[in-house]
Amino acid sequence: MAWGQVARRPIASLLSRAQQQAAQGYTSSATSQTHLLGNHFPQNGMLHRRFSSQVPASEQMSLIKRLRERTSAPIKDVKASLVSCNWDIEEAQKDLRKRGVILAAKKSSRTAAEGLLAMAQDEKRAAVVELNCETDFVARNDVFQYLASSLAKMVLSVQDPGKLVFPFAPAYLETMSINLDHPKLSGETTVRDAVTEVAAMVGENVKLRRGFLLSTTGHGVVTSYLHNCPQPGLGRMAGLVTLVAEDSSAPLDALKSVGSSIAMHIVAAKPLFLSKELVSAAAVESERDVLRTQAEKSGKPAIAMEKMVEGRLRKYFEEVVLLEQKYVVNDGTNIKTLLNDLSKEVGSKVTIGNFVRMEVGEGIERPEEADVPEATARAA
């Protein structure tokens, strides 16, 4: 009997305390529940699926694959964005783009000496653009190749600068708008932002380095040749040349055929000047000094040495002057003779207006090259 009384007191006390707490705390409890529910049910009534860290491994792999297909970003970055965004693929895609701008900025100081030349042309103009990256692996990436081709086509679409030979730096294009019709790119943007976006995707430093626009205004043609082509319009070496006929009735088909061969010759033979007259006096005198020094070591009489110098100077012109070079297709003739034969065929004098030769990475100092002089100096 005593035990029953003692047992009923705590029970009565608990019931009383529960009633008081219920009366006092109902409002805050209800508010708390509403707040918690609000985290999962937006006010607009739409339920967005958000993934927790408890996402099954099979679904994690599926999300990683889908996001990588969307963005082409490295798997490491794709997974990091998904984890930080609680496996929400839409938020992770936005996060990747934000990360990409930062990562691209960090990589911008790295040497980018690989890449591609992209070419586009019409009847009277041809444009070639160099887009660089760090490795040839990225140069084979479809997004990188698409951007390079789009930039070359864009050069033809902008206002004609009114110059037959128009070399341009990145600043000429960077602020212009470009529409990228590719599922992994963001549509209409600026050239600068497009390059940054692709750099973020491929995980390397990507740079628009330079370009050329070659035109002809007379009765002539612009012809081109690309070497090492992964696909049409892309390559690692490019040659462009314009041929012009004096007679406006001269057939252009023959000019196109010979012009294509000369463009290929330009890539192979690497001419520096169009004619001997265009070789600067300083370049000729510099070469003459080198040849004279070499001749003096022979110990021959002055007259004989002078003949040696002149003979080697002619050889120099044959190496660096386009019109004097032996034709790579037939070394029994030179480019000047080839043009003379073409002139006879079409019944009008045909001349070369201008030419351009480009190669990916030429003139860029690579890290391994920069280390060679230092190693030599130390060895000395």
Side-chain angles (χ1 to χ4, degrees), residues 14-325:
L14 286 172
L15 287 172
S16 175
R17 190 181 304 168
Q19 289 172 352
Q20 292 175 0
Q21 288 177 348
Q24 294 173 359
Y26 176 80
T27 303
S28 61
S29 176
T31 304
S32 176
Q33 283 189 342
T34 303
H35 176 71
L36 289 170
L37 289 173
N39 286 338
H40 299 282
F41 294 92
Q43 293 181 358
N44 59 12
M46 295 182 65
L47 176 64
H48 296 282
R49 183 182 182 187
R50 302 184 71 87
F51 297 97
S52 72
S53 58
Q54 303 304 317
V55 174
S58 59
E59 191 167 355
Q60 290 182 13
M61 293 304 298
S62 175
L63 288 167
I64 290 171
K65 181 180 178 182
R66 285 164 54 196
L67 186 54
R68 178 157 167 73
E69 287 174 350
R70 285 190 191 184
T71 64
S72 291
I75 290 179
K76 179 183 70 174
D77 296 335
V78 167
K79 184 176 180 181
S81 288
L82 282 167
V83 170
S84 67
C85 295
N86 208 20
W87 296 93
D88 184 324
I89 192 169
E90 301 299 334
E91 290 299 319
Q93 186 169 351
K94 293 179 184 177
D95 182 65
L96 267 178
R97 293 190 66 188
K98 294 175 183 176
R99 287 173 182 246
V101 173
I102 298 170
L103 291 173
K106 290 180 179 179
K107 291 179 171 66
S108 63
S109 61
R110 297 190 336 205
T111 301
E114 293 293 332
L116 287 170
L117 301 176
M119 187 179 295
Q121 66 183 96
D122 54 28
E123 290 298 319
K124 292 291 184 180
R125 299 179 303 159
V128 60
V129 170
E130 181 177 359
L131 186 66
N132 293 128
C133 56
E134 296 176 47
T135 64
D136 60 352
F137 175 78
V138 166
R140 297 193 296 270
N141 180 283
D142 71 308
V143 177
F144 182 89
Q145 293 182 358
Y146 176 82
L147 176 61
S149 297
S150 299
L151 291 171
K153 293 172 185 175
M154 178 186 173
V155 174
L156 286 186
S157 69
V158 300
Q159 184 177 358
D160 193 324
K163 298 179 181 179
L164 296 179
V165 182
F166 179 60
F168 57 87
Y172 175 67
L173 295 178
E174 282 180 335
T175 58
M176 294 185 184
S177 179
I178 185 170
N179 188 22
L180 301 172
D181 186 17
H182 191 283
K184 294 180 181 178
L185 296 173
S186 58
E188 188 168 353
T189 183
T190 63
V191 170
R192 181 187 291 112
D193 289 345
V195 172
T196 300
E197 185 174 355
V198 171
M201 286 184 180
V202 300
E204 289 191 5
N205 184 18
V206 175
K207 284 187 176 181
L208 169 61
R209 185 187 179 201
R210 56 177 174 163
F212 272 93
L213 181 64
L214 197 63
S215 308
T216 180
T217 55
H219 184 67
V221 296
V222 179
T223 57
S224 60
Y225 172 77
L226 277 168
H227 191 63
N228 288 348
C229 301
Q231 60 173 291
L234 298 172
R236 288 186 56 82
M237 290 179 277
L240 294 86
V241 63
T242 60
L243 297 184
V244 181
E246 285 186 354
D247 188 347
S248 59
S249 62
L252 295 180
D253 288 345
L255 271 68
K256 290 179 181 178
S257 177
V258 173
S260 295
S261 295
I262 294 177
M264 180 179 67
H265 168 95
I266 289 168
V267 168
K270 303 180 182 180
L272 300 177
F273 308 96
L274 175 58
S275 65
K276 288 195 293 187
E277 293 74 25
L278 294 177
V279 182
S280 66
V284 173
E285 192 55 36
S286 175
E287 186 66 19
R288 195 187 297 274
D289 285 343
V290 172
L291 296 175
R292 189 177 291 116
T293 301
Q294 293 174 349
E296 287 173 353
K297 294 179 180 179
S298 67
K300 294 182 178 181
I303 296 178
M305 286 193 294
E306 193 60 32
K307 290 181 179 179
M308 288 174 61
V309 169
E310 293 305 315
R312 291 176 179 176
L313 196 58
R314 284 194 297 272
K315 182 68 175 176
Y316 167 74
F317 287 135
E318 289 177 2
E319 291 174 351
V320 301
V321 175
L322 177 57
L323 291 176
E324 306 298 325
Q325 286 181 331

